[in-house]
């Protein structure tokens, strides 16, 4: 894996993490929050 790929992968991971955090903060109810977490965990595998 090249250095550029590593940087790109890390940047993508950071972007995804920020998007998940933003979605969790704006979630109106605990059910919505649970659903966001479930989707995020499914995509991390």
């Amino acid at each position: 894996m090249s250095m550029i790929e590593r940087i790109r992968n890390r940047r993508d991971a950071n972007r995804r993490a920020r998007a998940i955090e933003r979605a969790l903060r704006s979630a109106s109810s605990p059910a919505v929050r649970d659903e966001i977490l479930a989707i995020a965990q499914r995509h991390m595998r």
Side-chain angles (χ1 to χ4, degrees):
M1 182 182 296
S2 73
M3 186 75 159
I4 293 172
E5 285 178 12
R6 260 203 307 269
I7 292 170
R8 195 172 290 145
N9 288 343
R10 190 167 54 217
R11 190 179 60 207
D12 288 346
N14 285 339
R15 190 174 294 143
R16 274 193 301 273
R18 277 198 311 271
I20 291 166
E21 287 173 7
R22 199 163 43 241
L24 287 172
R25 271 199 301 271
S26 66
S28 53
S29 70
V32 173
R33 204 168 289 127
D34 290 345
E35 198 62 34
I36 292 168
L37 286 172
I39 292 167
Q41 287 172 348
R42 209 174 308 137
H43 282 282
M44 291 308 235
R45 292 183 195 145

